[in-house]
Amino acid sequence: MPDAAVSTTGTATTPTFDDVTKARERLAGVAHRTPVMTSRYVDSLVGGQLFFKCENLQRAGAFKFRGAYNAIASLTPDQRRRGVAAYSSGNHAQAIALAASLQDTPAVILMPEDSPAVKLAATRSYGAEVVTYDRYAQDREVLGAELAGKRGLTLIPPFDHEAVIAGQGTAAAELFEETGPLDLLLVCLGGGGLLAGSSLSAAALSPDCRVVGVEPEAGDDGRQSLEAGRIVTIPVPRTIADGAQTTHLGALTFPIIRRHVERIVTVGDADLLAAMRIFFERMKIVVEPTGCLSLAAALSEAVDCRGQRVGVIVSGGNVDMARAAALLAG
Amino acid sequence: MPDAAVSTTGTATTPTFDDVTKARERLAGVAHRTPVMTSRYVDSLVGGQLFFKCENLQRAGAFKFRGAYNAIASLTPDQRRRGVAAYSSGNHAQAIALAASLQDTPAVILMPEDSPAVKLAATRSYGAEVVTYDRYAQDREVLGAELAGKRGLTLIPPFDHEAVIAGQGTAAAELFEETGPLDLLLVCLGGGGLLAGSSLSAAALSPDCRVVGVEPEAGDDGRQSLEAGRIVTIPVPRTIADGAQTTHLGALTFPIIRRHVERIVTVGDADLLAAMRIFFERMKIVVEPTGCLSLAAALSEAVDCRGQRVGVIVSGGNVDMARAAALLAG
């Protein structure tokens, strides 16, 4: 009866900052404590002081490792033995693959067939089985549930999961620990796991800090949802920020975001490329388009950083050189 | 009588580890203490444990800032007031420009007209005056001396200078302080300032550590010089490692290298590109071709890292995206 073992959201409890603290204990010595970088050049552009939390330097190249590891560590021994499944536009897949391998858990990953080559290859290199699908024609949530049911796996969703949200919140917790209170925290969002988790940490550790979410112009479902006061679903957005090609916030992430996030702003793909170039040429770090959302917002008129101490979550660095070159040439 | 104020090598004394220690004091709070990164992926490729000292994340994007700042800090107040001049394939220029600006010293920089655009722009952005020349037709040492003489400036040479060598040695000193003794240290070389300085630190802090220099195949004057027991001069080498397009070691650097460096190995441009791609895609950092020399050597058959704890000095990250894209497409 494998179906009986399937859980798509773990517990459906809304996580709190206590869960973030527990996640930090589970991640200690496993996740990297990523560096906080600064750039005099960027500070001079925006007129404020920016602190970049470099999750592009996290294991598997993105913050997603935090939530994935925490979620698998929260399973029962029997669930871990049977294995986990995940659907993902890329970074969650790699994160689950690595986190599962570190905890001796089999992993099956459902990935869009047009995922960046580096992400497909890295997921397989961590020992996971990859199953591909057409992101414009097939519903990954249905496919994921089918796959998990058929094989008795526990599905770890990419954002709408208590332990995932709590794990993602640990990056901002580390940031505040290092910088002290901030005036503003900029966090990208797709499904809102990182934004929800970060906002829990901000509310606990820097209560006066305004938290602003950043999403691509083409995929502004988060902004629409905050304005409408309910989860708005959009078609799959076409943007270079492939980590933010989600169609809606989650049942768990939305209420947290509504409570703790001041507003959600959007930036265009051209702004992402400009930010990517600054990361590359001035800060000498590789940041994928989705990871450029928060800096792009800081550089835009949507956010005023003048005189502010601003945390910038840099979510990931998984872009191969060929794609980076094509993006910047195009 | 501006000519009387000109000094091309400061004192011509050979620096010792004491000078490195003094340089560290001058650089404290001014130069970044750059991170030491590791990569499980690279370790698995070479069968050893590599510690990357990331001078691509240094101010002005390269280790050169250390020597430049130390050299200017060692001048008399009157020399600093008159100003400094430098010739450089790029990173030394930016370093002198920034170090001069931080010490309220005017700077005039002589740069090859085919320097990467990002380097020319950055040098000017630090407030220096840039004078360009043809590196294949004109002798920069003669031009530099003329320029300095005409304007009463102190010429700070890129490598053959006591305070420059001592400053460059501080990166390896920080590395050993963080890692403890190492079995092997890989350092790129052009004129040998970084290699000489690093070898002084190795001899003092990790006396059993073998120091190996790495230079481009097309510009193996260092290897030839060690074999011949005298400084061998070659034509300007054509290599993508533009920071190593020097034609000979220095009168100060050569004796130090001869005493403390076990051997010098070479790598080809294709090896540099492979290393650059690993830095980009796996370690998420931007490293210029010259900065890839030491990792390329670790990955090649020229150096056996199996079972060894290996320090890898990553010298700089000043490559613009357009050039990086062109290099990797070509």
Side-chain angles (χ1 to χ4, degrees):
Chain A
M1 295 274 293
D3 277 0
V6 172
S7 158
T8 57
T9 56
T11 61
T13 320
T14 299
T16 66
F17 183 66
D18 277 350
D19 297 303
V20 177
T21 304
K22 281 182 203 133
R24 288 195 68 183
E25 287 160 15
R26 293 193 190 101
L27 292 171
V30 182
H32 290 323
R33 183 177 179 119
T34 52
V36 175
M37 290 181 72
T38 57
S39 165
R40 288 177 181 79
Y41 172 75
V42 176
D43 286 356
S44 74
L45 292 181
V46 304
Q49 201 177 358
L50 269 51
F51 299 92
F52 296 89
K53 178 64 174 169
C54 291
E55 288 295 299
N56 57 324
L57 304 179
Q58 185 52 266
R59 292 184 76 170
F63 73 94
K64 292 279 187 179
F65 177 71
R66 297 174 182 268
Y69 190 92
N70 190 47
I72 295 174
S74 307
L75 297 178
T76 65
D78 185 59
Q79 286 173 316
R80 272 201 295 277
R81 189 187 51 75
R82 287 164 173 270
V84 295
Y87 48 82
S88 164
S89 62
N91 285 333
H92 177 59
Q94 290 181 61
I96 288 286
L98 175 59
S101 137
L102 291 171
Q103 295 175 80
D104 292 324
T105 302
V108 182
I109 313 289
L110 198 61
M111 293 180 77
E113 60 197 6
D114 61 343
S115 298
V118 68
K119 292 187 180 182
L120 288 165
T123 306
R124 290 193 180 102
S125 79
Y126 291 128
E129 179 188 341
V130 173
V131 177
T132 59
Y133 71 99
D134 176 353
R135 79 163 98 197
Y136 298 103
Q138 295 177 281
D139 183 328
R140 68 183 188 176
E141 294 179 32
V142 172
L143 288 172
E146 278 175 11
L147 187 72
K150 207 163 56 187
R151 303 207 197 174
L153 309 167
T154 302
L155 186 66
I156 313 279
F159 52 86
D160 215 31
H161 183 288
E162 181 187 8
V164 171
I165 295 168
Q168 319 306 30
T170 60
E174 289 174 8
L175 173 64
F176 288 116
E177 203 170 73
E178 198 154 330
T179 60
L182 296 172
D183 301 311
L184 184 61
L185 181 67
L186 301 175
V187 188
C188 61
L189 68 146
L194 179 65
L195 177 57
S198 300
S199 74
L200 291 174
S201 291
L205 301 175
S206 182
D208 293 333
C209 180
R210 289 170 293 123
V211 180
V212 173
V214 187
E215 63 188 352
E217 265 169 19
D220 69 339
D221 61 289
R223 181 169 66 176
Q224 289 185 46
S225 300
L226 271 196
E227 283 172 9
R230 59 175 177 79
I231 298 172
V232 173
T233 299
I234 59 169
V236 174
R238 303 229 173 199
T239 164
I240 60 170
D242 56 286
Q245 287 187 301
T246 41
T247 58
H248 57 83
L249 295 173
L252 289 176
T253 59
F254 177 62
I256 300 172
I257 290 169
R258 204 174 170 194
R259 189 173 327 126
H260 293 299
V261 173
E262 187 190 77
R263 65 199 167 104
I264 291 175
V265 300
T266 66
V267 296
D269 280 1
D271 303 318
L272 296 180
L273 292 176
M276 196 181 194
R277 190 181 295 274
I278 287 172
F279 278 128
F280 187 105
E281 295 186 347
R282 291 292 182 147
M283 297 180 64
K284 320 297 181 190
I285 57 173
V286 176
V287 181
E288 62 184 272
T290 309
C292 296
L293 281 161
S294 47
L295 172 58
L299 294 168
S300 79
E301 304 212 328
V303 174
D304 186 356
C305 297
R306 282 174 297 178
Q308 308 283 296
R309 297 178 78 242
V310 183
V312 177
I313 308 278
V314 179
S315 61
N318 290 323
V319 56
D320 54 58
M321 287 208 61
R323 179 157 185 260
L327 284 172
L328 283 141
Chain B
M1 293 276 292
D3 276 2
V6 172
S7 158
T8 56
T9 57
T11 61
T13 319
T14 300
T16 65
F17 183 66
D18 277 350
D19 297 303
V20 177
T21 304
K22 280 182 203 133
R24 288 195 68 182
E25 287 161 14
R26 292 193 190 102
L27 292 172
V30 181
H32 290 324
R33 182 176 179 122
T34 52
V36 175
M37 289 181 72
T38 57
S39 164
R40 288 176 180 79
Y41 172 75
V42 176
D43 286 356
S44 74
L45 292 181
V46 305
Q49 201 177 359
L50 269 52
F51 299 92
F52 296 89
K53 179 64 173 168
C54 292
E55 288 295 299
N56 57 323
L57 304 178
Q58 186 52 266
R59 293 184 76 171
F63 73 94
K64 292 278 188 180
F65 177 71
R66 297 173 182 268
Y69 190 91
N70 190 47
I72 295 174
S74 307
L75 297 178
T76 65
D78 185 59
Q79 286 173 315
R80 271 200 296 276
R81 190 187 52 73
R82 286 164 174 270
V84 296
Y87 48 83
S88 163
S89 62
N91 285 334
H92 177 61
Q94 290 181 60
I96 288 286
L98 174 58
S101 138
L102 291 171
Q103 295 175 80
D104 292 324
T105 302
V108 182
I109 313 290
L110 197 62
M111 293 180 77
E113 59 198 7
D114 61 343
S115 298
V118 69
K119 292 188 179 180
L120 288 164
T123 306
R124 289 193 180 102
S125 79
Y126 291 127
E129 179 187 343
V130 172
V131 176
T132 58
Y133 71 99
D134 176 354
R135 78 163 99 199
Y136 300 103
Q138 295 177 282
D139 183 328
R140 69 183 188 176
E141 295 179 31
V142 172
L143 288 172
E146 277 175 12
L147 187 72
K150 207 162 56 185
R151 304 208 195 174
L153 308 167
T154 302
L155 186 66
I156 313 280
F159 53 86
D160 215 31
H161 183 288
E162 180 187 8
V164 171
I165 295 168
Q168 317 306 31
T170 61
E174 290 175 6
L175 173 63
F176 287 117
E177 203 170 73
E178 198 153 329
T179 61
L182 296 171
D183 300 310
L184 183 61
L185 180 67
L186 301 175
V187 187
C188 61
L189 68 144
L194 179 65
L195 178 57
S198 300
S199 73
L200 291 174
S201 291
L205 301 175
S206 182
D208 293 333
C209 180
R210 290 170 293 123
V211 179
V212 173
V214 187
E215 63 189 352
E217 266 169 18
D220 69 339
D221 60 289
R223 182 169 65 176
Q224 290 185 45
S225 300
L226 271 197
E227 284 172 9
R230 61 175 175 79
I231 298 172
V232 173
T233 299
I234 59 170
V236 175
R238 302 229 175 202
T239 164
I240 61 170
D242 57 286
Q245 288 187 299
T246 41
T247 57
H248 57 83
L249 294 172
L252 289 175
T253 59
F254 178 63
I256 300 172
I257 290 169
R258 204 175 171 195
R259 190 174 326 126
H260 293 300
V261 172
E262 186 190 77
R263 65 200 167 102
I264 291 175
V265 301
T266 66
V267 296
D269 280 2
D271 303 318
L272 296 179
L273 291 176
M276 195 181 195
R277 189 181 295 273
I278 287 172
F279 278 128
F280 187 105
E281 295 186 348
R282 291 291 182 147
M283 297 180 64
K284 321 296 181 190
I285 55 173
V286 176
V287 181
E288 62 185 273
T290 309
C292 296
L293 281 162
S294 48
L295 172 58
L299 293 169
S300 79
E301 304 211 329
V303 174
D304 186 357
C305 296
R306 282 175 297 177
Q308 308 282 295
R309 297 178 80 244
V310 184
V312 178
I313 308 279
V314 179
S315 62
N318 290 323
V319 56
D320 54 57
M321 287 209 62
R323 180 158 185 259
L327 284 171
L328 283 142

